[in-house]
Amino acid sequence: ARRTNDLASVTMSAAANSAAYWRIAGMSYLKYSNMCAEVVRGCLKEPWLTKAKPREAVYMKHTKWADGKPGTPVITEVIPPETKA
């Protein structure tokens, strides 16, 4: 039983340490995950590449809150230059 607990603590420790690397680099998790997705899409070959290209477009909705009430939402669309029509 002790060996299992040691293995679990090492695994949890490694997971906790690896999660900190994107923070150390000064990135948000969203930026980190977008960079990882871009790298994966860059490694794809046809026909998967053309299927994955439209997924590069990102839509974000941001709402500022004041006094406990939501303001007007702002929708931002980010489309990489090579995918614009």
Side-chain angles (χ1 to χ4, degrees), residues 9-84:
S9 66
V10 169
T11 304
M12 289 178 62
S13 176
N17 289 336
S18 66
Y21 291 124
W22 52 267
R23 284 190 190 264
I24 292 170
M27 291 187 220
S28 69
Y29 182 76
L30 182 60
K31 186 170 185 171
Y32 168 76
S33 64
N34 282 336
M35 287 178 61
C36 291
E38 185 178 327
V39 169
V40 170
R41 282 191 298 269
C43 295
L44 294 174
K45 295 181 180 179
E46 292 298 337
W48 300 283
L49 179 62
T50 54
K51 291 180 180 180
K53 270 294 190 193
R55 294 186 192 144
E56 289 183 1
V58 177
Y59 303 93
M60 296 175 280
K61 180 179 175 183
H62 181 263
T63 305
K64 286 194 175 187
W65 287 69
D67 299 325
K69 297 185 181 183
T72 306
V74 177
I75 297 175
T76 305
E77 179 180 9
V78 180
I79 301 176
E82 62 273 358
T83 60
K84 288 184 180 176

